[in-house]
Amino acid sequence: MELPVGIYSLKVLGGWKVITNNFSVILREVNGETVIKPKETFWKIQSFAFGKRAKKIASVDIPKRATYEIEFLNPSDLKVKKSNLITLGFFQSFLPTNEIQVCIE
């Protein structure tokens, strides 16, 4: 994906109960040497993105406009439930890994 210079939010889509465990993301510049590791956010803000529940898990600082490829590390460690309410959490199961989406905005 091509990204201009700026600071972006890395969000997990599908629910507001997000457990990252050892899950992480790396952006690598295509045809370049730049490797960017997102910084985990202290305030994991809940919102909606693309009509789905979203939870911000990290910030990405892009230092120069370039085309980047995204590498997901330990994707099976990412766990998402639709609601983060304790009472509803007992009745919900985690989303299957292949149904979890991640966006950068």
Side-chain angles (χ1 to χ4, degrees), residues 11-15 18-19 23 52 72 75-81 94-102:
K11 297 180 179 181
V12 174
L13 304 180
V18 176
I19 302 169
F23 170 79
K52 297 181 178 185
F72 297 101
S76 60
D77 283 356
L78 182 62
K79 305 293 183 197
V80 178
K81 284 187 180 182
F94 289 106
L95 294 175
T97 303
N98 62 342
E99 290 182 16
I100 299 171
Q101 297 176 317
V102 176

Side-chain angles (χ1 to χ4, degrees), residues 9-13 47 49 54-57 101-103 105:
S9 295
L10 178 67
K11 297 180 179 181
V12 174
L13 304 180
S47 62
K55 186 102 169 203
K56 180 179 177 180
I57 60 168
Q101 297 176 317
V102 176
C103 75
E105 31 174 41

Side-chain angles (χ1 to χ4, degrees), residues 26-36 61 63-64 66 68:
I26 295 176
L27 281 80
R28 294 183 194 276
E29 181 183 1
V30 176
N31 301 325
E33 297 180 6
T34 305
V35 175
I36 300 169
D61 188 2
K64 68 177 185 176
Y68 294 91

